[in-house]
Amino acid sequence: EVQLVESGGGLVKPGGSLRLSCGAFGLAFSNVWVSWVRQAPGKGLEWVGRIKSKTEGGTTDYAAPVRGRFTISRDDSKNTLHLQMNSLNTEDAAVYYCTSGGGTADYWGQGTLVTVSS
Amino acid sequence: EIVLTQSPGTLSLSPGERATLSCRASQSVSSSILAWFQQKPGQAPRLLIYGASYRVSGIPDRFSGSGSGTDFTLTISRLEPEDLAVYYCQHYGSSWTFGQGTKVEIK
């Protein structure tokens, strides 16, 4: 059974930084593309970005609102995905989901809540 | 950037009725990269349909997807109480775009 488990969420002040992690179990992690999707309280789903598998270049793509502030990385030796978030603002407050799959988000974690407030 | 517009915003139906959810794209998209997700209250989203019409293993056959070009549809043939959820369409090209969601309420 595939499981994705996010961690690292919490309260951060505007302008601050936070690093989220996602542990993957039950899948060939190094072979898959993994993405982050977020959901602000009471709102819809918003794609944050993705990282391809190393065999496909390991490159990253980001949504416009986070480009230049967020960085996605992966540690295939530990089956772990990271999201480094800098210069956070109140619009970044959301539940952050880790997802993976063959093309779209076949699998989702339960999410980790990021709150941005002074 | 492709924009997906879902309608209606909310659908209120009785058990056993047919639900038809619409997703319209701002430009023509390949049906091979159009998906539908279900998000029940307090839960993470779940993939229902990929490639516009391919049902994920384990998803009940009352859920079906169709469409092409700019117009796509998710149909729930006979609503069950557990189908109470928000449904999102998604275009999964070089970047991902989600529709704003349709909330299905059970009368």
Side-chain angles (χ1 to χ4, degrees), chain A residues 33-51:
Chain A
W33 297 17
V34 278
S35 298
W36 289 96
V37 174
R38 68 185 181 182
Q39 186 170 36
K43 303 296 185 183
L45 303 173
E46 180 185 22
W47 180 68
V48 172
R50 81 153 73 82
I51 186 165

Side-chain angles (χ1 to χ4, degrees), chain B residues 18-21 23 31 34-36 48-56 59-68 71-77 89:
Chain B
R18 182 184 189 91
T20 303
L21 288 67
C23 175
S31 59
L34 193 288
W36 289 92
L48 299 176
I49 302 285
Y50 63 95
S53 61
Y54 296 92
R55 195 182 313 113
V56 171
I59 299 301
D61 61 7
R62 64 179 182 275
F63 292 91
S64 64
S66 63
S68 63
D71 292 301
F72 298 88
T73 301
L74 175 69
T75 302
I76 311 173
S77 59
C89 60

Side-chain angles (χ1 to χ4, degrees), chain B:
Chain B
E1 179 186 319
I2 292 170
V3 176
L4 299 177
T5 302
Q6 292 186 240
S7 61
T10 302
L11 199 52
S12 185
L13 295 168
S14 299
E17 288 194 298
R18 182 184 189 91
T20 303
L21 288 67
S22 172
C23 175
R24 178 160 291 178
S26 58
Q27 59 187 278
S28 184
V29 302
S30 168
S31 59
S32 65
I33 48 177
L34 193 288
W36 289 92
F37 293 85
Q38 175 193 62
Q39 186 176 32
K40 294 183 178 182
Q43 296 185 16
R46 175 173 72 150
L47 178 65
L48 299 176
I49 302 285
Y50 63 95
S53 61
Y54 296 92
R55 195 182 313 113
V56 171
S57 174
I59 299 301
D61 61 7
R62 64 179 182 275
F63 292 91
S64 64
S66 63
S68 63
T70 59
D71 292 301
F72 298 88
T73 301
L74 175 69
T75 302
I76 311 173
S77 59
R78 297 170 307 278
L79 266 177
E80 300 277 349
E82 62 262 31
D83 298 334
L84 164 72
V86 179
Y87 294 83
Y88 296 94
C89 60
Q90 180 213 28
H91 175 250
Y92 51 105
S94 55
S95 63
W96 289 2
T97 304
F98 292 92
Q100 82 280 19
T102 290
K103 183 176 183 179
V104 172
E105 296 180 340
I106 310 297
K107 287 182 182 174

Side-chain angles (χ1 to χ4, degrees), chain A residues 4-23:
Chain A
L4 300 173
V5 182
E6 301 95 338
S7 59
L11 174 63
V12 61
K13 289 182 167 51
S17 298
L18 205 59
R19 190 191 196 210
L20 306 184
S21 297
C22 171

